[in-house]
Amino acid sequence: MAEQTAKRPVSVPVMADLAARGESPEILFWVGCAGAFDDRYKRVTRAFVRILDHVGVNYAVLGKEESCTGDPAKRAGNEFLFQMQAMTNIATLDGYGIKKVVTACPHCFNTIKNEYPALGGEYEVIHHSTFLQQLINEGKVKAEGGESFKGRRITFHDSCYLGRANDIYEAPRAVLEVLDADLVEMKRCKTNGLCCGAGGAQMWKDAEPGNKEVNIERTEEALATLDGAAAVLNNLRGVESNAPAGPGSAKAAGGSVIAVACPFCMTMMADGVKNKEREQDVQVFDLAELIASAEGLNA
């Protein structure tokens, strides 16, 4: 995305400080491990916070009191560790009387929404794609005054924990539609989407024997979709393709975007683009980054 100037500092409210003043936020922004510690996904956190600040949402974060939701432990089979982490978080959330949680991570979203209730943690949990859609529908976000995406080709990669696990397909696409870009769907999308390769704790283990990494297969599909390379799409059968970009490719179009809404997907798709040496003409961005850029908010 184009460079922007005059970056305005944003003071992020911390829940403990609000509680000390007897105040409570409208929403708690659950940052997540990636949003707090992964250098690439920190940019998504900053973008989303700038959007919240821009539209005047009353929010707060837990800061140092936030711990991992326990999702990786549970997917790896360590139920004991998961319950320890979950109970700690539930005690913190309940201690502050939190009712509404918004997060940019589908893994955190799925865990807090669907698995915490069994341990006593009952909250309204919203993924940031749905929250952004709500802001757009309310007229608070117009995607005006910043970078223009008109005519740019964008394809959206469905996160497994957002899509198939929670049936959220239209919200991310509704967010992208406001950009007035050329949205193109991959052959394997929505209920038939292909995993980025990092789900189910696969992010934390070595690759298993095989002919091809899952993220490479998915990246090839995304690139071929952006390039309009039908022959490549038809031949994706788990065998790595070295086909060059076609005449209607992202290179020829002057830059295209693979949009994601998950830190795991961000890492896997970005690595895939690097593997294919396409970083100069295809970029991987989260929905929040695209909206912040279109609004002229420098994250």
Side-chain angles (χ1 to χ4, degrees):
M1 286 183 284
E3 287 293 326
Q4 299 171 350
T5 58
K7 182 182 292 187
R8 183 171 58 86
V10 174
S11 177
V12 179
V14 178
M15 194 61 234
D17 296 336
L18 265 67
R21 299 195 298 267
E23 302 173 7
S24 60
E26 175 190 348
I27 66 167
L28 176 83
F29 173 34
W30 187 275
V31 178
C33 299
F37 298 110
D38 180 77
D39 286 341
R40 176 63 187 86
Y41 220 68
K42 286 178 187 176
R43 287 155 55 184
V44 176
T45 299
R46 289 194 290 267
F48 189 60
V49 161
R50 287 186 179 278
I51 293 170
L52 295 178
D53 183 71
H54 178 64
V55 301
V57 173
N58 180 14
Y59 76 99
V61 301
L62 286 177
K64 293 182 179 180
E65 290 186 274
E66 181 183 304
S67 176
C68 178
T69 61
D71 168 77
K74 189 173 183 69
R75 305 310 154 213
N78 194 335
E79 181 67 20
F80 177 69
L81 178 57
F82 161 70
Q83 291 198 18
M84 285 181 59
Q85 292 177 309
M87 293 301 292
T88 298
N89 287 326
I90 290 170
T92 301
L93 292 171
D94 289 352
Y96 286 123
I98 298 299
K99 303 297 181 185
K100 189 174 184 178
V101 178
V102 176
T103 180
C105 176
H107 294 251
C108 297
F109 168 75
N110 179 72
T111 301
I112 300 174
K113 177 178 181 290
N114 297 323
E115 294 170 339
Y116 276 24
L119 299 174
E122 298 274 358
Y123 316 102
E124 179 186 0
V125 190
I126 304 173
H127 186 256
H128 81 318
S129 61
T130 302
F131 194 76
L132 287 171
Q133 182 192 28
Q134 293 173 359
L135 293 178
I136 291 169
N137 291 344
E138 293 168 0
K140 296 179 179 178
V141 169
K142 302 184 185 339
E144 298 174 350
E147 183 174 356
S148 172
F149 291 89
K150 187 176 180 62
R152 301 264 305 267
R153 290 173 71 82
I154 298 179
T155 191
F156 179 69
H157 165 74
D158 289 286
S159 160
C160 295
Y161 278 102
L162 190 61
R164 284 177 295 195
N166 289 284
D167 201 34
I168 297 177
Y169 298 108
E170 300 310 320
R173 289 166 172 82
V175 171
L176 292 173
E177 285 174 2
V178 78
L179 298 175
D180 197 24
D182 181 11
L183 301 181
V184 288
E185 291 282 9
M186 286 184 260
K187 185 176 181 179
R188 289 174 288 193
C189 65
K190 299 185 179 180
T191 56
N192 193 40
L194 179 66
C195 179
C196 71
Q202 296 297 309
M203 185 79 163
W204 318 113
K205 61 185 286 295
D206 292 332
E208 297 178 12
N211 297 321
K212 187 180 187 180
E213 295 280 6
V214 176
N215 73 311
I216 299 301
E217 170 86 3
R218 187 54 164 170
T219 302
E220 286 179 356
E221 182 174 6
L223 294 176
T225 299
L226 292 170
D227 293 344
V232 176
L233 288 173
N234 291 335
N235 290 318
L236 282 176
R237 296 291 184 274
V239 178
E240 193 159 347
S241 169
N242 293 313
S249 70
K251 288 183 179 179
S256 294
V257 173
I258 299 173
V260 297
C262 169
F264 289 67
C265 298
M266 169 74 77
T267 296
M268 301 305 277
M269 299 305 289
D271 284 352
V273 170
K274 291 176 184 175
N275 177 274
K276 293 298 175 182
E277 299 182 350
R278 294 288 299 273
E279 308 102 301
Q280 297 303 312
D281 60 293
V282 178
Q283 297 172 294
V284 183
F285 287 118
D286 183 87
L287 300 177
E289 293 179 295
L290 295 170
I291 292 299
S293 180
E295 286 277 312
L297 308 174
N298 190 349

